[in-house]
């Protein structure tokens, strides 16, 4: 009887050809041959291996850094700076207030008050270009704010753009006809445009709305001083405005103090009093370039001390390298102290910045003539002479005609004159 043994109990059949063993042997041969090839070509393959290894290590490091990323640096909270800036502003320290306000402005895009104060502060400090820029930002912050349009009107007027200043002032009045500050600065723009009667009626409206308006009292004084040419009467308005500003608006007090100092120098020839007033301004606001200019003027023209004047004027151009008046007067003091090269450079800078005063061109030309550089002097003689002709300034026309022949230009040669000085150089 034939009984079949189940498959699982059968002995495995042996293959005649050991395929696994042959496969292992072939693999071993390949590894050996590859190893020999790598060894023989190790000089060529080594940089490739190093590069691949480095890439792998960098990937691992990057992954580790991503897993353990450093904590982001905290952004400075501007609120404390704004509070400090407000405190400085209330105390009349405009320089310190601006130092804190300016970095905080990007976090206050719609804060009209902050932009208004920065613009006003720049006007007070004598940075007119900066004032125009920030006045535009004040309007952008709130296009319906009467104060924003009013401060832009004032900044544009300071920049010599009386037409644009009037347009901005009218817009401010449109938004708030009862805003005495807007009316005051609109009146100043009218005065700058030569519309004196309109300026007088507009400032009268402002004072009718608020008889204690610092801005309106100053504006009326300015109209009387520069529009009606009555400095004796004007100084009363300036003193009244200053007395109110000391407590109500200390920032404006610094500006009005400079006005009073100018009147003391121009009308009363009281240079000691002017220097005292300006020192008080600079004690709180050392970067007030308007005060620095007039301090230089007081020492140079009033006290006859060009060296002392130069120290204030140098500070002025350091703080505001765009200040035409300070460069001009600094050049004059340098010529006076026999620094001809430095003086010529300062006077050239005043002209290059865009001066429209023919007197500035006259002195720039004279400095170049003193250096023996007629080719450069002609660059100032020709346009300066044309400005004098346009202004019908008989004295300056004569002054230019006296030195033009020194460089081969038409005119009647005379002893080199010294042009008369005017406060308008500011």
């Amino acid at each position: 009887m034939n009984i079949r043994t189940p498959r699982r109990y059968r002995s495995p059949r042996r293959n005649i050809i050991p395929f696994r063993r042959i496969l292992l042997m072939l693999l071993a041969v390949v590894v050996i041959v590859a190893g020999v090839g790598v060894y023989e070509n190790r000089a060529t393959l080594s940089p490739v291996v190093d590069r691949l290894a480095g890439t792998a290590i960098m990937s691992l490091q990057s992954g580790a850094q991503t897993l353990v990323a450093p904590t982001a640096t905290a952004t400075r909270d501007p609120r404390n700076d704004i509070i400090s800036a407000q405190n400085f502003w209330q105390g009349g320290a405009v320089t310190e207030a601006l130092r804190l306000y300016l970095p905080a402005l990007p976090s206050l895009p719609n804060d009209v008050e902050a932009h208004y104060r920065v613009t006003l502060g720049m006007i007070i400090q004598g940075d007119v270009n900066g004032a125009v820029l920030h006045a535009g930002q004040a309007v952008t912050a709130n296009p319906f704010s009467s104060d924003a349009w009013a401060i832009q009107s004032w900044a544009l007027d300071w920049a010599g753009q009386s037409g644009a200043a009037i347009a901005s002032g009218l817009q401010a009045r449109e938004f708030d006809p009862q805003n005495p500050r807007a009316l005051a600065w609109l009146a100043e723009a009218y005065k700058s445009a030569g519309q004196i009667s309109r300026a007088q009626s507009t400032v009268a409206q402002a004072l009718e709305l608020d008889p204690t308006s610092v801005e309106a009292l100053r504006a009326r004084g300015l109209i009387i001083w520069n529009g009606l040419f009555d400095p004796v009467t004007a100084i009363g308005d300036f003193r009244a405005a200053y007395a109110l500003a000391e407590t109500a608006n200390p920032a404006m007090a610094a500006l009005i103090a400079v006005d009073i100092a100018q009147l003391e120098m121009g009308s009363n020839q009281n240079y000691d009093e002017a220097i005292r007033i300006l020192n008080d301004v600079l004690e709180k606001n050392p970067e007030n370039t308007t005060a620095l200019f007039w301090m230089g003027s007081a020492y140079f023209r009033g006290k006859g001390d060009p060296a002392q004047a130069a120290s204030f004027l140098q500070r002025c151009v350091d703080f505001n390298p765009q200040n035409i008046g300070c460069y001009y007067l600094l050049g004059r003091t340098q010529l006076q102290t026999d620094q001809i090269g430095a003086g010529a450079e300062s006077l050239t800078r005043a002209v290059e910045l865009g001066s429209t005063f023919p007197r500035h061109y006259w002195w720039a030309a004279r400095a170049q003539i003193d250096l023996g550089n007629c080719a450069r002097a002609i660059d100032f003689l020709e346009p300066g002479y044309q400005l004098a002709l346009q202004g019908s300034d008989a004295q300056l026309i004569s002054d230019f005609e006296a030195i033009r022949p020194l460089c081969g230009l038409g005119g009647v040669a005379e002893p080199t004159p010294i042009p008369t000085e005017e406060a308008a150089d500011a």
Side-chain angles (χ1 to χ4, degrees):
M1 183 168 126
N2 186 14
I3 301 174
R4 299 183 62 181
T5 305
R7 186 183 295 255
R8 62 177 176 274
Y9 297 121
R10 296 178 190 173
S11 298
R13 296 181 181 181
R14 295 180 178 275
N15 292 324
I16 298 174
I17 301 174
F19 289 107
R20 290 183 180 178
R21 188 172 296 175
I22 292 172
L23 184 61
L24 288 172
M25 291 175 65
L26 289 173
L27 184 61
V29 171
V30 171
V31 171
I32 292 169
V33 171
V36 172
V38 170
Y39 179 76
E40 290 179 349
N41 295 278
R42 60 188 180 277
T44 303
L45 296 174
S46 178
V48 177
V49 173
D50 290 344
R51 187 168 63 252
L52 293 172
T55 302
I57 291 170
M58 289 175 64
S59 297
L60 291 171
Q61 289 177 339
S62 177
Q65 290 173 353
T66 302
L67 291 172
V68 191
T71 303
T73 304
T75 303
R76 180 180 174 83
D77 187 345
R79 285 177 294 185
N80 291 334
D81 286 345
I82 294 168
I83 293 171
S84 298
Q86 291 170 345
N87 291 335
F88 279 122
W89 184 267
Q90 295 299 332
V94 178
T95 299
E96 292 302 322
L98 287 178
R99 204 184 306 280
L100 292 169
Y101 266 129
L102 284 169
L105 280 185
S107 64
L108 305 168
N110 302 116
D111 190 330
V112 173
E113 182 66 19
H115 287 87
Y116 172 90
R117 286 184 174 181
V118 168
T119 304
L120 179 58
M122 287 187 166
I123 292 172
I124 292 168
Q125 295 288 84
D127 185 357
V128 177
N129 293 332
V132 172
L133 173 66
H134 285 282
Q137 294 179 3
V139 171
T140 302
N142 184 355
F144 303 101
S145 168
S146 177
D147 278 344
W149 287 97
I151 194 65
Q152 180 173 257
S153 172
W154 208 36
L156 290 168
D157 185 43
W158 277 83
Q161 303 177 45
S162 57
I166 291 171
S168 189
L170 290 172
Q171 187 65 67
R173 190 178 67 178
E174 182 71 21
F175 283 125
D176 184 2
Q178 307 299 310
N179 186 343
R181 179 185 297 149
L183 291 169
W185 291 336
L186 176 58
E188 287 193 30
Y190 282 136
K191 185 271 303 176
S192 298
Q195 301 179 36
I196 304 303
S197 60
R198 183 168 290 183
Q200 288 178 288
S201 62
T202 304
V203 79
Q205 293 174 32
L207 286 168
E208 186 178 345
L209 290 168
D210 182 5
T212 63
S213 168
V214 170
E215 294 84 2
L217 284 168
R218 180 188 179 273
R220 188 173 68 180
L222 198 63
I223 293 164
I224 295 171
W225 179 16
N226 291 333
L228 302 178
F229 307 105
D230 183 1
V232 176
T233 303
I235 200 168
D237 278 334
F238 283 109
R239 293 194 186 283
Y242 181 78
L244 289 167
E246 277 192 297
T247 54
N249 194 344
M252 278 289 290
L255 181 69
I256 300 167
V258 175
D259 294 328
I260 294 171
Q262 291 180 57
L263 282 163
E264 288 290 352
M265 285 189 284
S267 300
N268 302 330
Q269 303 294 302
N270 192 346
Y271 291 96
D272 290 330
E273 176 63 10
I275 289 171
R276 183 195 67 76
I277 293 170
L278 293 169
N279 266 324
D280 289 344
V281 173
L282 291 171
E283 187 175 343
K284 280 188 177 181
N285 299 283
E287 296 180 16
N288 188 318
T289 54
T290 307
L292 288 168
F293 172 85
W294 286 108
M295 186 70 92
S297 181
Y299 275 106
F300 179 60
R301 293 168 174 152
K303 307 293 284 184
D305 188 346
Q308 183 75 354
S311 66
F312 291 102
L313 296 165
Q314 186 63 56
R315 282 170 57 189
C316 176
V317 298
D318 288 342
F319 292 135
N320 183 2
Q322 307 300 312
N323 194 305
I324 294 172
C326 284
Y327 267 115
Y328 164 69
L329 204 55
L330 176 62
R332 292 292 313 282
T333 64
Q334 290 165 331
L335 293 181
Q336 192 78 11
T337 53
D338 296 324
Q339 302 175 64
I340 309 300
E345 186 176 340
S346 296
L347 291 162
T348 297
R349 183 64 179 148
V351 172
E352 290 176 343
L353 285 170
S355 173
T356 57
F357 289 103
R359 182 176 294 101
H360 294 188
Y361 286 79
W362 192 96
W363 280 103
R366 174 177 169 169
Q368 295 297 333
I369 291 171
D370 289 345
L371 291 173
N373 190 356
C374 260
R376 188 70 175 109
I378 290 172
D379 293 338
F380 305 118
L381 285 171
E382 285 295 276
Y385 186 49
Q386 293 303 316
L387 285 171
L389 290 171
Q390 291 169 16
S392 300
D393 189 327
Q395 180 60 56
L396 267 175
I397 291 170
S398 175
D399 294 338
F400 271 103
E401 290 177 347
I403 64 171
R404 282 165 58 85
L406 299 177
C407 290
L409 301 175
V412 180
E414 298 176 2
T416 303
I418 303 296
T420 56
E421 296 296 335
E422 292 180 6
D425 288 335

